[in-house]
Amino acid sequence: MSIASLYCCQIHYSNNGKTYFAIGFKNDSLGYELRSKYFKGSCSPKQITSICSGQSTAMVFEGFMDFLSFLSLPAGLSRFPADYFILNSVSLVKNVLQVLKSYRRIMTFLDNDAAGENCSQELQQRFKEKMLNLSYLFSPYKDLNDFLCSQAPSKEIPLQIPEPP
């Protein structure tokens, strides 16, 4: 909760005269990704989310749950100073291509499915040796969040993220 409260808020919305609420994760165009037990969607405009502090490493996540999952890892944020880009949909990868050119290293945590693999291949073709696809770390699970949810609460997380050079 302490990590989520830094990046998320509660959003109330209505549809067909009924009021609902969801977790909201703001994007760069002031729209929101919305998640609840019953709903997964967004509030326009749809856009990536950038969380930058001038680092030389960029980390790219497919969705905000994976980003929050990464930050919950024991050595997540403090051990890996990076600028973070949450795509909020792999179809928005085009919106981050130009900015990624300026980074010395790009680490991706995209889903282990066809869309995530296609996006990873596109980034690998563009950024070659400075891009590191880390989705193998949580294989055979679909994404980092699914992997972490599968682990016993008291068990140490068996995830070894390579140190930046």
Side-chain angles (χ1 to χ4, degrees), residues 4-5 7-11 22-26 32-34:
S5 66
Y7 300 97
C8 300
C9 62
Q10 185 170 309
I11 300 288
I23 296 170
F25 182 75
K26 192 185 293 188
Y32 286 88
E33 293 301 306
L34 303 173

Side-chain angles (χ1 to χ4, degrees), residues 9-159:
C9 62
Q10 185 170 309
I11 300 288
H12 293 261
Y13 62 97
S14 58
N15 186 18
N16 293 330
K18 291 187 177 183
T19 302
Y20 302 94
F21 65 93
I23 296 170
F25 182 75
K26 192 185 293 188
N27 67 39
D28 291 354
S29 294
L30 306 180
Y32 286 88
E33 293 301 306
L34 303 173
R35 299 293 184 276
S36 74
K37 183 177 179 180
Y38 307 105
F39 181 72
K40 179 180 179 180
S42 60
C43 176
S44 295
K46 184 95 170 157
Q47 182 56 276
I48 66 165
T49 302
S50 306
I51 302 168
C52 300
S53 60
Q55 302 297 324
S56 62
T57 297
M59 291 190 177
V60 180
F61 297 88
E62 191 163 328
F64 79 91
M65 290 297 188
D66 293 321
F67 167 67
L68 296 175
S69 295
F70 173 78
L71 295 182
S72 75
L73 292 172
L77 186 59
S78 62
R79 203 168 125 217
F80 291 93
D83 287 351
Y84 301 102
F85 298 93
I86 301 87
L87 299 177
N88 297 318
S89 169
V90 291
S91 66
L92 296 176
V93 70
K94 63 189 178 300
N95 298 14
V96 77
L97 295 176
Q98 188 63 34
V99 72
L100 288 178
K101 289 180 181 179
S102 66
Y103 287 89
R104 195 178 59 129
R105 186 165 193 204
I106 302 164
M107 301 168 81
T108 62
F109 296 83
L110 303 177
D111 289 2
N112 285 315
D113 61 12
E117 290 167 13
N118 289 339
C119 187
S120 290
Q121 288 174 359
E122 180 178 351
L123 291 169
Q124 191 71 57
Q125 288 172 345
R126 289 180 181 268
F127 300 111
K128 305 200 183 339
E129 65 280 342
K130 71 177 185 175
M131 205 282 260
L132 182 58
N133 178 356
L134 296 175
S135 59
Y136 73 90
L137 292 172
F138 46 87
S139 183
Y141 296 92
K142 182 180 182 240
D143 59 30
L144 181 57
N145 185 54
D146 285 347
F147 168 75
L148 291 178
C149 288
S150 75
Q151 304 302 303
S154 61
K155 188 176 174 186
E156 186 168 320
I157 306 297
L159 190 64

